[in-house]
Amino acid sequence: MKNIRNFCIIAHIDHGKSTLADRLLEYTKTVEGKDLQAQVLDDMDLERERGITIKSHAIQMKYNYKGEEYILNLIDTPGHVDFSYEVSRSIAACEGALLIVDAAQGIQAQTISNLYMAIENDLEIIPVMNKIDLPSAMPDEVEDQIVELLGCPREDILRASGKTGEGVYQILDTIVEKVPAPKGNPNAPLQCLIFDSVFNSFRGIIAYFKVVNGVIRKGDHVKFIATGKEYDADEVGVLKLTMSPRDEIRTGDVGYIISGIKTSREVRVGDTITHVAHPAKEAIAGFEEVKPMVFAGVYPIDSEDFENLRASLEKLQLNDASLTFQPESSAALGFGFRCGFLGLLHMEIVQERLDREFNMDVITTVPNVSYKVYDKKGNCTEVHNPSGLPDPTLIDHIDEPYIRASVITNTTFIGPIMTLCLGKRGILIKQEYISGDRVEIHYDMPLGEIVIDFYDKLKSISKGYASFDYHIHDFRPSKLVKLDILLNGEPVDALSTLTHVDNSVTFGRRMCEKLKELIPRQQFDIAIQAAIGAKIIARETIKAVRKDVTAKCYGGDISRKRKLLEKQKEGKKRMKQIGTVEVPQKAFLAVLKLD
């Protein structure tokens, strides 16, 4: 056990985690020859196309240090704020962390939030300055920032380059010297922490775990504490580039278990595995349930696919524990699911994966957040969907979730960023200069204002230099109204939103204008209206596609023309009564890109 080191790599998005992981695998000869490619650990097509890490990946390496062989278990983690739950789970399975900072960009928001997460879990932090081979690198300034953030001696900061491989052996030596060996008692009852799971169509569900106490052997009769289910360990092993079976996994090591589990509800991330014969007294503590930030309805385009969509979401949830969903129905779209995501990128990735991995065509409704609605009697209900809002006459007030946001940026962009935050009803809390020309601004903002397009706007006004991080702070009363969109007098519940009174009129007007562009013309006039309760606040009309019925009348009496036009008018009126307006998928996503 003294020769095992479990560590993860944490950093802001695009600071070179996956590239550095590639070099570590190459230098420890874990991956050789034709397997060696860029982003070795990112096995999804989506990850390779976008150049981002979406899932944490665990892999075991062997390294010789001063004549002794050490086992290094590495977990590469995502950097984007939407996948911070993956990072928190990886940290729970480690004793040390490589904190990577880009020598050209310096410390950014996600660097700080991931660092705090690691410090809370008492991890040994090894600071690494990456990309020192870049011509734009500023090693001395970035070193100052790291010293200021961590309070570590300057000589502890390792300089490396994931591209050229400079400093990689020094990193490996430091991991062996500084990261503590796992603590645990090999003779105690078995306790394994599940930190990830995947679905395999041949073997069932495979759970990845870290052995905290005890030893797990092939063929053991084990029990999952949270679900109470019992299984036989058909196969246990360690995670190399592919899975490699072993007879036993000892305390402190990371491995996987295959026990023929078929239903996804039986495996929970954060659960504890123990023996049936000598069970542990309690589960491993300290694992948080994930809190979704953004809710959106996901509906199958063909209503017969409802059960297939449920199965696809369950399999996806295994691979991505931060996705939550529950069934709901809509008058316009039939049966579907209300899904909770950690952010807009997360929502986009889930939609893309449903399409690629499960061939599911889905419609996603406008994203929103959950509100607390208090009625006149003082009862509180949680509403995730504007259509679930009670009658306005019964509502006393509505509380909406506020976040504490931290934006780190260059001083040149303070003005536009403050304008953006104030436009989103933000309240400035404090402003701190970190170093030189870098400033951190703290805002309290309503979550509902940032779920749609805040992050994209922030990136564009700061030319990509502002980094953004947030956590849920509290609920506060707000003047919110339900904005309905009516097509020919019929409300389309998939387009209804909860919005602040001050923004409602402009928002309704822009919605109507956008829908007018996107909805195809029919044989009859379509009225698009935005309404708050019974009050119409905006209207656009899509004119009918007309045929010139009077073309055959040349000259002659006006009454003949009028007769033909009246006949056409009657036909249009009848068509309007029975005709329905087809709303294309683009229209549901129009709200996201109103500007």
Side-chain angles (χ1 to χ4, degrees), residues 41 54 114 177 184 227 339 378 395 429 466 477 536:
L41 294 177
I54 293 169
N114 288 345
E177 290 162 10
T227 54
C339 297
I395 297 174
I429 302 300
I536 304 291

Side-chain angles (χ1 to χ4, degrees), residues 165-186:
E166 186 184 333
V168 171
Y169 283 123
Q170 196 188 351
I171 292 175
L172 287 164
D173 291 349
T174 312
I175 289 166
V176 173
E177 290 162 10
K178 288 201 172 173
V179 175
K183 301 179 185 71
N185 181 355

